[in-house]
Amino acid sequence: MSHPAIRPDTRTLATVAHTAFFLLLGASVARFLLRHPGEPRTPWVLALSITLALLYVLGPVLGPSLGRTPGGTPGAATPTPRRRLLWLGLVVTTWVILVVLAPSFAWCAVPLFFTALRTLPPRAAIVLVALLTAFVVTAQLQLAKSFDPNLLLAPPAVAALATAVFVHMERQAQAQRALIDDLLRTRRELAATERREGTLAERQRLSMEIHDTLAQNLSSQQMLLQAADRTWDTDPATARAHVRTATGIAAHGLAEARRLVHDLAPSELADGAGLADALRALDAGPGIEVRFHLEGAPAPLPDRVQSALLRIAQGALANIREHSGARTAALTLSFLGDQVVLDIADDGHGFTEPRTGTRTGADGRGHGLPAMRARVRQLGGTLTIESTPGEGTVLSAAIPLEPAP
């Protein structure tokens, strides 16, 4: 009498109830035959017993038990099919007639309680259980030779206990289904949130990569070509030098774009090149001398750390070239054991640092410092900027390192 939508624990309880029904039915038949041999009602009792057993066995064919809508609202029950109600009515009617003929069959009502509770909505099932209990009490009192208080109190107690246990199990099952649905919904929402956050983080990373590579290269090319255009007639040699420099920057930008498409790793760090060598090879453009210093014993750095520090250096040099008016810039890479620090200083005119969260201007500028802060923050480090108008700028990026095993 189980149904695929029914839980395993309910299926086990149903099996026990069905087994108990047939045991009680068989015991009642045996008792009747031993106590009342050769009576005229014996054929009727046997026929009704066989009919009740067949009806009970054929129950699943007539329709499923009261169940829960798969994937539906927790605790929501599917409507009981009419053929199932007809089947329950036939079972109860057959049992009532059988008890009228032989009151000893009254104890078969206990498994019928469970069947009614599984088949009908809660209120209707409780009403039916109460009626069955009253009929059992009446039958037992008729069967007794004298008044017995146990016959008056035991059946209602058994019925109340069976009903309470079943209702409690159903409520627990509903709460469990609701909890499982909430957990599944929360997991889906969390997965969606993680996907959105991952997408946003990837977009931010791509925007920083593009800003620190392609955008800076294009800006440098624009400045060099504009300078070449201004000096083309008066100083052709200088103009051609600017064009050659712009061509070199374009070639470097093309290589960087290909690297960006491939794996977003800096081309300067390709083929096993170290961070120190990549920083030493950086250039801030014509008219700006770039010096590099290495302090401390170099230690192996994760690729993410090397890439972040190189991008920060490129972005800082691009800002120096475009905004500072500096003549020299100094890059210092320091290995301090538990952290690596990159300092970038210039002798430009300095600036007043904008407030955190300043938006990019209409000309597309202003993305460099936020991008640097984001890179350092993603690695658990800190970015500090010290600048005074007329006295230059010092930018320092400190990133913690994992202790060596």
Side-chain angles (χ1 to χ4, degrees), residues 13 84 149 162 282 284 394-395 398:
L13 182 59
R84 180 82 180 171
L282 291 180
V394 177
L395 182 148

Side-chain angles (χ1 to χ4, degrees), residues 4-292:
I6 300 176
R7 307 178 316 279
D9 55 346
T10 304
R11 213 160 25 232
T12 302
L13 182 59
T15 301
V16 172
H18 303 332
T19 303
F21 174 80
F22 287 107
L23 287 176
L24 290 173
L25 182 61
S28 299
V29 171
R31 183 180 185 278
F32 178 82
L33 293 177
L34 291 174
R35 296 287 183 90
H36 309 282
E39 288 193 4
R41 55 180 172 165
T42 299
W44 290 100
V45 171
L46 293 177
L48 288 172
S49 299
I50 296 173
T51 302
L52 182 60
L54 291 176
L55 285 173
Y56 201 87
V57 170
L58 294 177
V61 179
L62 300 176
S65 306
L66 184 67
R68 300 294 177 260
T69 305
T73 305
T78 57
T80 306
R82 290 184 179 180
R83 59 181 180 272
R84 180 82 180 171
L85 294 176
L86 177 62
W87 167 81
L88 181 61
L90 290 174
V91 170
V92 172
T93 301
T94 304
W95 172 79
V96 168
I97 298 173
L98 190 59
V99 173
V100 170
L101 294 176
S104 59
F105 284 84
W107 286 108
C108 293
V110 176
L112 292 181
F113 293 164
F114 177 74
T115 302
L117 290 169
R118 291 184 61 226
T119 303
L120 298 175
R123 292 183 179 179
I126 292 175
V127 171
L128 180 58
V129 168
L131 293 176
L132 294 178
T133 303
F135 191 76
V136 169
V137 171
T138 303
Q140 291 298 311
L141 290 176
Q142 290 178 354
L143 186 64
K145 296 180 180 180
S146 60
F147 178 76
D148 187 349
N150 286 335
L151 298 179
L152 182 63
L153 299 177
V158 172
L161 179 61
T163 302
V165 170
F166 184 86
V167 171
H168 177 69
M169 290 180 58
E170 279 298 300
R171 289 178 178 175
Q172 282 191 325
Q174 291 178 13
Q176 185 180 26
R177 283 191 293 269
L179 178 60
I180 293 174
D181 289 342
D182 289 340
L183 290 175
L184 292 175
R185 182 170 60 254
T186 301
R187 186 172 66 177
R188 288 192 296 267
E189 293 175 354
L190 180 60
T193 300
E194 290 178 348
R195 285 195 297 270
R196 288 194 298 269
E197 291 179 352
T199 300
L200 292 176
E202 184 65 15
R203 288 179 178 176
Q204 182 182 22
R205 187 169 72 93
L206 285 174
S207 77
M208 292 188 298
E209 294 287 347
I210 293 173
H211 172 271
D212 292 341
T213 56
L214 302 181
Q216 299 294 358
N217 286 337
L218 291 173
S219 177
S220 300
Q221 294 174 51
Q222 182 184 29
M223 294 177 60
L224 289 168
L225 292 176
Q226 288 174 347
D229 182 64
R230 288 193 300 269
T231 60
W232 191 265
D233 295 329
T234 59
D235 192 353
T238 301
R240 283 192 291 271
H242 288 329
V243 171
R244 286 193 296 270
T245 303
T247 302
I249 294 176
H252 179 271
L254 179 60
E256 190 65 44
R258 289 171 177 169
R259 178 69 61 178
L260 186 66
V261 171
H262 182 261
D263 58 2
L264 299 180
S267 58
E268 293 86 352
L269 298 176
D271 302 325
L275 177 61
D277 294 334
L279 293 175
R280 188 178 287 110
L282 291 180
D283 183 14
I288 301 178
E289 179 185 1
V290 179
R291 295 190 294 267
F292 174 75

